[in-house]
Amino acid sequence: MTLLELEGVHTYYGESHILQGVDLEVGDDEVVALLGRNGVGKTTTLRSILQLTPPAEGSIRFKGEELVGKDTYEVAEAGIGWIPEERRMFNRLSVEENLRAAVPTAAGVAEGLELAYDTFPILEERAGQRAGDLSGGQQQMLAIARGLVGQNELLLVDEPSEGLAPKIVTDVGEALLSASASVPILLIEQKLGLALDLADRYYVMDHGEIIDRGETAGVTADDEQLRRYLSA
Amino acid sequence: MIDPAAPLVIGDIVDLLTSPGEMSRIVVEGLAKGSLYLMISAGLTLIFGLMDVINFAHGAFTMYGAYIAGAALLGLGVGSMGFLGAMGSIFVVMLLVFLLLAAVGVIFEVALIRKLYEYPPIFMILLTFGLAITLEELMRMIVEFREINNGQWQIDWATPRIESVPSELASVNELGFFSFTGLQLIQIAFGVLTFVGIWAFLNKTRYGLFVRAGVEDEEMAKALGININRTFTAVFAVGSGLAGIAGVMLALDPLWAVNVPLALAVLLPAFVIVIVGGLGSFKGTAVASLLVGMIDALGTWAFQTGVITFTDLDQLMIFGILVVMLILRPRGLFGVEGQGDHG
Amino acid sequence: MSSEKTTRGPAWLGQYLRDHILLIAIVAIFVAYPFLYGFLTNQFGIVAAMILPETRTMLTILALGLFAMSFDFVSGYTGYLSFGHAAFFGIGAYFVVMGFNGQIPLVPAELPFMLLLVLGGLVAAVAAFLIGLISFRLSGVYFAMITLGISEVLYVISNNWDYITPGSSDPSDGVAAGAPSDVGFFEPVLGIPFVDPLNAKVGPFGDETLLGFDFGDPEIVSYFLIGAAVLLCYLAMKRIIHSPFGKVMIAIRENEERARAIGYNTFRYKMGAFMISAFFGAIAGGLLVAYVGTIDPQNSFFFLVTGFALVAAIIGGLGTLAGPFFGYIFLEGVREFLAREGSGGGLQPFLEQTLPGGVLNINLGGLTINEALDAFMTGHGEFYAGIIFVLFVLYIPIGLLGTLRQRLGTDSVAKYVSRRVADRFGSSGSQPAE
């Protein structure tokens, strides 16, 4: 079943035409990777879905419901979680407060914290610390945890491995893998190997358009075609 | 107190400052003034912190609060009620003023302020400044209208305090070294209450959590499902209500006059406090309020005892603090990088 | 501009004149205004008096209009809101008065007015430099609040420092030039230095003749001279804005990061713009004193002096230079329209004289119309000005002149109109765009 469906999405930043008709689908039990070089509009695609940068044209449907024209918080309430590039902690809030802010209802807070701490025990140890004082890897775990506790039906994950040490990347990858067991993911990831490991399908973007798509099964990080798409 | 006419030498000043009685008087006065300053500036700092809106109409809200309080206390005949009755009435009036001005705040935010969020922050200054001018002139009209209307409504704004406030508030109480008036005690109590209330709101409620999250990263807060627009409205309402409550307190204090220029007289020190504390930091505002209150009390003391003869010394000192602070620490005591910078 | 073009004097002059038909026309209207006012009020009586400001009001408008332009020069063009701009106005005004009274160290008493005026401007520029050192470290809201704070310090000092008023009157009541008994009468002379016929005494008891014409009224002579000074200041500011320096100012407003990235030392340009605007702000203050001879804190250092310059700038159009001047005329017009009797006529005196006596005394629910006017209209110009201002901010944030520019698709309404007029009347073809 199709969970998220983008159809002919055009988005502008001021004068510049970033998305030039994006068509994309995410099913309700799959991980989809969005590949492409820097600056081709991958992050803008996520921002368009979230209505942070509302599209000028086109349709974005989630569970059959049109998102274009809604407020960002309504998109979030509908069940879409965002794990943004550079993690975007509330630095001055504690780890626990970051999680509390992400839980949709007051009643769900206890359950949400339990889920987060079960998944990432390190966060429980650091619960009272300011999020800004965490290491990069811990912040990434907190960012993923925020996505998990939001009772989301789809996670938009943007560059989760960026700026992390290789060992930490493995941890983050495993965390996303275990998350994907319960929630579909639309993933942007520069590390092709990681992306292909996590994803069931992929789309390749260039100049604001989808130029290729396919199953990841059997495709390796050495794939000639893909490498050509992604080299500058 | 000593004879103001007698010339003072440094020795006398040191004597006065080291005498426990004088010192405690200054400290109590400083706490009381600091509490008033906190009440004046709390709403301003809340609104700025979340919304990047410097609300120039803040002083006008306080002025309206003072007028409503003055009229209500007089109308209720609080002066002849006895102490407990009077205190109860003051409390009720305060609640009423809070709700009334919070409602005004909601209307302003939804009808006007909201239209300009996409504009550079300077436009917020312009809009609220225009509102301030309009509100002040409106009150002037109302006051004049009452005078014209056969004097029925006419109130001598110098006297309502004497008539409406129980005499217990003015009498001096002693407690060990400390001597204080009932009014000072009330001011300190409400100052503490304001501080604790806002602190608890920000740190212990879910809404406060949303506010603090929104202050740091509005987009991320939205993406987590927080309805930031509603949060803005709520904060603007609370901030406006707090401005009104400050007006009620000022209406009780004989050092402040209930008149139209009160709006500006409140607005400017409130700005100073918010900036000295660091734009958007409630902790900073609380510390700066105390600091300014203490310095104000010291200045008042110096003037009363004849050490310095400069009528508006307190104002000069308040703005002096601002300038010195900005030279030493441009972002204020607890200012945060990026807050209030752009545009 | 290429050199061969500039060497052809007459062509250049012709071009200049064609480009400035509108400016010349507006100046002509201002020159004719005192006579026009007299003529129209004679002809149409109270109706004209209701709408048009008196010549005396125009004197204030000229000075405060210049102040609004100087405010716009820095705030509108660099984007740094100079919220304490009244400080410079006050410095200019107080420098003239206190300098004349011999109260400023190193400045001998009774210096010629023009010298005091320029010195005051320079002092204000130095003050701006010092304020800029503190405030340009930050931007946005902080800059606005720091400048406001400093101007408030000056306001409090001017309100209380008894040194300002020799003879121990209350400083908050203001101070007059020539107040101390050992100082002569304040007779400011305005004009081009060393050219006798082009100079005249300004003030209520000043000269009645200028250039050999006898106007029979010192008010008109003062109006012309102060107007000429304001025009000169306007042209100077305009020249700077159209120079490469001004281009950088605008670049800073549009995107300071980028201006810095291109390699401009933006701090220097901001500081320069701030100092220039302070200079002209102080000149405006000095010119206000030229006619009235006195100054008080409420009308100089006070926060609302900046406030109304801001209102004028928004109504006229922030970043249009001339706009704020017209904005100020509009604002002052509203105020005088709703003024009380005896200050130039307005709505209420007009109604009192034109309506039959009974009408104004009709009782509407315990209140006569006259009383209602008194309560809700007369003397409450600020209320309506405030509402107009809020509407402008919400719906016409670029102001009147800004809107005109946008509509006409030009960066200068004056040039646009001038060229259209020149084209219409068939002067040597169309001009190349700049």
Side-chain angles (χ1 to χ4, degrees):
Chain A
M1 256 269 301
T2 308
L3 183 66
L4 178 77
E5 190 178 8
L6 277 71
E7 214 180 297
V9 171
H10 289 258
T11 302
Y12 295 77
Y13 268 121
E15 298 281 292
S16 38
H17 194 171
I18 307 290
L19 299 189
Q20 312 191 354
V22 171
D23 299 302
L24 181 151
E25 275 176 25
V26 181
D28 57 8
D29 57 352
E30 62 174 350
V31 176
V32 173
L34 188 54
L35 308 174
R37 287 175 283 118
N38 280 328
V40 298
K42 298 181 307 252
T43 297
T44 307
T45 306
L46 300 195
R47 293 180 59 89
S48 296
I49 296 168
L50 288 161
Q51 304 300 314
L52 283 169
T53 314
E57 212 182 297
S59 157
I60 301 175
R61 282 185 297 279
F62 182 63
K63 295 188 288 185
E65 200 183 336
E66 182 59 63
L67 295 183
V68 176
K70 281 190 194 288
D71 264 334
T72 298
Y73 81 93
E74 290 172 320
V75 175
E77 277 176 350
I80 296 182
W82 186 36
I83 298 170
E85 211 175 354
E86 291 165 354
R87 305 178 283 273
R88 297 185 63 169
M89 299 289 96
F90 301 119
N91 285 322
R92 281 176 280 158
L93 269 54
S94 72
V95 169
E96 188 184 314
E97 285 169 335
N98 265 277
L99 293 168
R100 280 173 177 273
V103 179
T105 59
V109 168
E111 197 186 324
L113 288 179
E114 206 185 310
L115 171 66
Y117 294 154
D118 279 350
T119 319
F120 302 107
I122 184 77
L123 294 182
E124 188 163 19
E125 286 171 37
R126 302 285 156 98
Q129 267 187 23
R130 281 159 47 109
D133 296 339
L134 296 181
S135 72
Q138 290 164 350
Q139 287 192 1
Q140 189 61 58
M141 290 174 195
L142 181 50
I144 295 171
R146 276 198 314 205
L148 294 178
V149 302
Q151 295 165 7
N152 292 309
E153 294 167 54
L154 172 67
L155 289 181
L156 309 178
V157 184
D158 198 348
E159 302 284 7
S161 75
E162 194 183 26
L164 298 182
K167 190 191 156 307
I168 312 285
V169 172
T170 317
D171 292 350
V172 168
E174 275 168 20
L176 285 173
L177 196 61
S178 70
S180 68
S182 55
V183 57
I185 293 175
L186 176 58
L187 172 75
I188 296 175
E189 176 55 59
Q190 284 291 332
K191 293 192 173 60
L192 190 53
L194 180 61
L196 293 175
D197 281 353
L198 287 171
D200 305 307
R201 289 193 302 120
Y202 67 84
Y203 288 90
V204 181
M205 253 188 126
D206 199 20
H207 290 104
E209 282 174 299
I210 302 291
I211 54 165
D212 197 7
R213 53 190 290 180
E215 307 268 331
T216 57
V219 181
T220 66
D222 299 324
D223 187 276
E224 275 297 311
Q225 182 80 1
L226 272 186
R227 291 206 84 89
R228 214 168 31 246
Y229 286 140
L230 303 182
S231 61
Chain B
M1 278 274 269
I2 57 163
D3 177 15
L8 282 171
V9 291
I10 300 288
D12 290 330
I13 298 172
V14 174
D15 277 354
L16 284 170
L17 271 178
T18 48
S19 84
E22 289 290 324
M23 263 316 276
S24 77
R25 220 166 57 82
I26 297 173
V27 169
V28 170
E29 178 73 6
L31 282 174
K33 281 178 187 274
S35 299
L36 282 185
Y37 283 130
L38 177 66
M39 298 184 72
I40 289 171
S41 48
L44 199 64
T45 203
L46 268 188
I47 290 173
F48 182 84
L50 179 65
M51 303 161 70
D52 266 355
V53 173
I54 289 257
N55 182 15
F56 270 77
H58 190 79
F61 288 167
T62 299
M63 185 258 290
Y64 274 72
Y67 263 109
I68 296 170
L73 294 179
L74 211 64
L76 291 170
V78 168
S80 51
M81 266 184 183
F83 185 69
L84 280 179
M87 291 314 296
S89 312
I90 290 173
F91 214 88
V92 170
V93 166
M94 227 173 226
L95 200 67
L96 188 85
V97 166
F98 181 86
L99 293 177
L100 220 63
L101 280 161
V104 173
V106 169
I107 294 169
F108 275 16
E109 202 276 338
V110 172
L112 302 169
I113 310 251
R114 183 168 289 179
K115 294 198 195 315
L116 293 186
Y117 284 134
E118 305 297 315
Y119 285 58
I122 297 241
F123 277 86
M124 288 294 185
I125 296 185
L126 301 179
L127 175 67
T128 55
F129 176 72
L131 288 177
I133 300 177
T134 312
L135 285 175
E136 282 170 36
E137 206 55 39
L138 179 67
M139 181 52 90
R140 216 167 257 140
M141 276 186 199
I142 296 172
V143 172
E144 270 186 33
F145 174 63
R146 286 150 73 129
E147 280 169 9
I148 289 166
N149 198 6
N150 307 326
Q152 272 175 349
W153 282 72
Q154 201 171 31
I155 293 170
D156 176 6
W157 287 103
T159 53
R161 270 188 290 268
I162 300 158
E163 288 172 21
S164 65
V165 172
S167 57
E168 280 90 337
L169 288 185
S171 59
V172 178
N173 309 289
E174 303 269 350
L175 192 77
F177 278 142
F178 292 95
S179 63
F180 48 84
T181 64
L183 184 63
Q184 283 175 325
L185 201 63
I186 289 180
Q187 287 172 345
I188 294 172
F190 274 104
V192 171
L193 208 64
T194 305
F195 178 78
V196 172
I198 294 178
W199 184 86
F201 167 71
L202 286 176
N203 290 291
K204 296 292 164 197
T205 68
R206 226 172 127 69
Y207 231 83
L209 179 63
F210 293 165
V211 171
R212 285 184 298 142
V215 166
E216 278 207 46
D217 190 337
E218 207 182 302
E219 268 193 352
M220 193 64 222
K222 281 195 235 169
L224 291 177
I226 296 170
N227 183 348
I228 217 77
N229 274 345
R230 205 170 60 201
T231 313
F232 278 6
T233 311
V235 164
F236 202 82
V238 170
S240 308
L242 284 171
I245 288 194
V248 180
M249 289 309 290
L250 296 185
L252 296 175
D253 189 327
L255 288 177
W256 297 76
V258 180
N259 54 22
V260 175
L262 177 69
L264 210 57
V266 164
L267 185 68
L268 294 173
F271 278 156
V272 172
I273 287 163
V274 168
I275 290 175
V276 167
L279 279 172
S281 161
F282 178 63
K283 181 169 64 175
T285 299
V287 173
S289 299
L290 268 186
L291 183 75
V292 171
M294 285 294 169
I295 290 174
D296 186 352
L298 206 65
T300 310
W301 169 84
F303 184 74
Q304 282 172 351
T305 50
V307 178
I308 300 166
T309 52
F310 192 94
T311 331
D312 286 342
L313 182 71
D314 51 340
Q315 289 185 47
L316 189 63
M317 288 171 80
I318 289 173
F319 290 109
I321 296 170
L322 173 71
V323 174
V324 170
M325 173 57 75
L326 288 169
I327 293 173
L328 298 179
R329 274 182 75 96
R331 284 179 197 286
L333 290 169
F334 298 95
V336 180
E337 186 90 20
Q339 194 89 59
D341 245 359
H342 33 77
Chain C
M1 222 178 276
S2 64
S3 57
E4 63 221 296
K5 231 172 146 189
T6 44
T7 49
R8 289 178 54 212
W12 170 82
L13 192 68
Q15 168 79 53
Y16 184 88
L17 288 177
R18 271 195 301 278
D19 275 356
H20 294 81
I21 290 172
L22 187 65
L23 176 73
I24 293 164
I26 288 172
V27 170
I29 291 173
F30 272 90
V31 168
Y33 187 79
F35 314 107
L36 227 58
Y37 181 80
F39 173 75
L40 290 173
T41 43
N42 272 336
Q43 207 70 15
F44 303 103
I46 188 95
V47 178
M50 172 177 75
I51 296 166
L52 298 170
E54 288 177 307
T55 308
R56 182 146 165 40
T57 313
M58 288 302 287
L59 280 165
T60 322
I61 287 178
L62 285 173
L64 287 167
L66 174 61
F67 177 66
M69 288 194 285
S70 79
F71 169 81
D72 188 36
F73 183 85
V74 63
S75 306
Y77 283 91
T78 68
Y80 279 79
L81 197 62
S82 174
F83 226 168
H85 213 61
F88 308 125
F89 190 78
I91 287 174
Y94 270 87
F95 190 90
V96 167
V97 171
M98 292 175 69
F100 186 82
N101 288 349
Q103 288 170 293
I104 293 174
L106 306 179
V107 178
E110 297 182 52
L111 278 183
F113 172 76
M114 296 276 282
L115 195 57
L116 286 170
L117 188 67
V118 173
L119 279 176
L122 293 176
V123 168
V126 171
F129 177 75
L130 296 176
I131 296 172
L133 281 184
I134 306 173
S135 53
F136 278 124
R137 292 188 295 173
L138 298 165
S139 59
V141 175
Y142 276 97
F143 179 82
M145 300 320 283
I146 295 168
T147 51
L148 172 60
I150 291 170
S151 82
E152 276 302 301
V153 169
L154 293 175
Y155 172 65
V156 174
I157 292 176
S158 69
N159 236 334
N160 293 284
W161 196 23
D162 24 7
Y163 174 79
I164 295 170
T165 46
S168 74
S169 64
D170 187 349
S172 63
D173 291 339
V175 54
S181 48
D182 54 339
V183 177
F185 203 60
F186 180 59
E187 291 180 314
V189 173
L190 207 56
I192 296 172
F194 312 116
V195 187
D196 256 0
L198 292 174
N199 280 288
K201 271 187 273 184
V202 177
F205 307 105
D207 288 335
E208 297 183 359
T209 51
L210 182 67
L211 292 168
F213 290 104
D214 188 348
F215 295 103
D217 187 354
E219 208 170 68
I220 295 179
V221 173
S222 302
Y223 170 81
F224 283 150
L225 287 170
I226 292 174
V230 170
L231 179 65
L232 194 70
C233 291
Y234 164 71
L235 292 174
M237 280 191 278
K238 200 170 97 128
R239 189 77 212 90
I240 298 169
I241 279 165
H242 288 290
S243 75
F245 186 91
K247 298 274 183 297
V248 180
M249 284 166 62
I250 293 169
I252 289 173
R253 177 186 69 194
E254 298 304 324
N255 190 338
E256 184 165 355
E257 298 275 305
R258 191 160 54 194
R260 202 178 295 132
I262 297 171
Y264 289 113
N265 182 344
T266 53
F267 177 78
R268 274 196 208 162
Y269 284 90
K270 288 187 288 189
M271 188 66 105
F274 194 40
M275 288 171 72
I276 292 167
S277 84
F279 177 84
F280 288 111
I283 298 286
L287 288 176
L288 185 74
V289 171
Y291 186 78
V292 288
T294 64
I295 193 66
D296 60 66
Q298 209 67 24
N299 286 310
S300 56
F301 285 114
F302 192 46
F303 162 63
L304 286 182
V305 173
T306 313
F308 281 103
L310 174 67
V311 175
I314 289 298
I315 291 177
L318 206 57
T320 60
L321 200 59
F325 184 81
F326 296 110
Y328 204 88
I329 294 180
F330 177 77
L331 196 63
E332 201 55 48
V334 171
R335 271 206 257 188
E336 201 179 282
F337 182 66
L338 295 173
R340 299 200 184 286
E341 247 172 305
S343 43
L347 183 64
Q348 196 172 20
F350 169 74
L351 292 179
E352 271 168 8
Q353 290 195 21
T354 46
L355 295 178
V359 175
L360 285 180
N361 291 322
I362 291 173
N363 204 311
L364 302 167
L367 194 69
T368 65
I369 292 179
N370 204 19
E371 284 171 342
L373 275 175
D374 242 334
F376 300 119
M377 301 283 288
T378 306
H380 295 296
E382 270 91 350
F383 178 73
Y384 299 98
I387 290 178
I388 292 168
F389 176 70
V390 167
L391 292 176
F392 262 90
V393 172
L394 286 174
Y395 299 108
I396 322 175
I398 51 175
L400 292 177
L401 203 50
T403 309
L404 262 176
R405 279 184 190 179
Q406 210 175 50
R407 283 281 154 79
L408 302 179
T410 170
D411 64 344
S412 165
V413 173
K415 276 193 184 167
Y416 179 86
V417 173
S418 299
R419 284 181 183 173
R420 287 296 290 270
V421 172
D423 288 349
R424 171 68 58 88
F425 293 102
S427 49
S428 64
S430 61
Q431 279 72 44
E434 276 183 27

